[in-house]
Amino acid sequence: MQIRAVTEALDPRQLEDLSALLIDAVEGGASLGFLTPMGPERAQTYWEGVSKAVQAGDKALLVAEIEGAILGTVQVVLDMPQNQPHRGEVSKMIVHTKVRQLGLGMRLLVAAEERAHVAGKSLLVLDTQTGSAAEHLYRKAGYTPLPPLPDYALTPDGVLAPTTIFWKRI
């Protein structure tokens, strides 16, 4: 398993892997800002936008590859408001369902924290659906939760669900 930062434009194979990863997550119920059904066109358009943000320096994109296939990813939003240059946001942490429970999520999160630190960030924030598997990961990684916000976002199948916001000094 290799975790690396993507700094160039995403190539067709990377777009295909990342799109499949996003579809797997959304169709599996992960609350990532998308509703089902999640088609390949929507997923590819999303990743093309991420690629542009990475090239502009607004985001960091980290991928986890196993045998040449991207099976995990996380982003760090680096472009923050002028009064928050010290803060970054962990976003779109995704691990493919077929490789969960292998420590990949924790490794991606540690890599995201390292990348944020190198970019001069000292505080990270993130949000996740309350009660999700990701919530357990963030607690284990030392993130501090705030009280859940009720009815914050829709689940992929359109049901309102609470969200927990986490923070961590790095």
Side-chain angles (χ1 to χ4, degrees):
M1 174 179 15
Q2 174 188 356
I3 295 178
R4 65 179 181 82
V6 175
T7 57
E8 304 295 322
L10 293 169
D11 66 37
R13 184 199 58 83
Q14 292 170 321
L15 279 170
E16 184 177 326
D17 282 359
L18 287 165
S19 294
L21 181 61
L22 181 59
I23 291 167
D24 173 70
V26 172
E27 294 296 328
S31 183
L32 295 166
F34 300 96
L35 300 176
T36 57
M38 181 71 185
E41 300 82 20
R42 179 187 286 163
Q44 183 167 330
T45 298
Y46 169 75
W47 288 111
E48 288 168 347
V50 170
S51 183
K52 289 177 184 171
V54 167
Q55 291 173 71
D58 297 339
K59 287 185 177 183
L61 174 63
L62 298 151
V63 296
E65 295 173 312
I66 299 175
E67 297 179 6
I70 297 173
L71 295 173
T73 187
V74 65
Q75 298 169 46
V76 180
V77 179
L78 301 170
D79 183 33
M80 301 305 291
Q82 187 178 24
N83 69 340
Q84 300 171 40
H86 62 289
R87 185 173 74 81
E89 183 173 335
V90 175
S91 175
K92 304 295 189 273
M93 165 77 86
I94 308 171
V95 174
H96 198 284
T97 54
K98 67 184 179 184
V99 293
R100 290 192 183 154
Q101 303 301 315
L102 300 178
L104 189 58
M106 185 64 78
R107 288 186 59 191
L108 280 165
L109 193 55
V110 168
E113 291 171 3
E114 290 170 357
R115 176 63 184 91
H117 180 73
V118 167
K121 306 301 180 183
S122 60
L123 178 70
L124 286 175
V125 296
L126 60 87
D127 67 79
T128 192
Q129 183 176 332
T130 304
S132 68
E135 184 177 4
H136 173 72
L137 171 68
Y138 300 134
R139 289 177 189 273
K140 186 176 175 182
Y143 284 75
T144 301
L146 298 176
L149 300 168
D151 298 341
Y152 186 79
L154 296 173
T155 61
D157 59 355
V159 176
L160 284 170
T163 292
T164 301
I165 297 173
F166 288 85
W167 63 272
K168 182 178 183 181
R169 292 189 193 280
I170 57 170

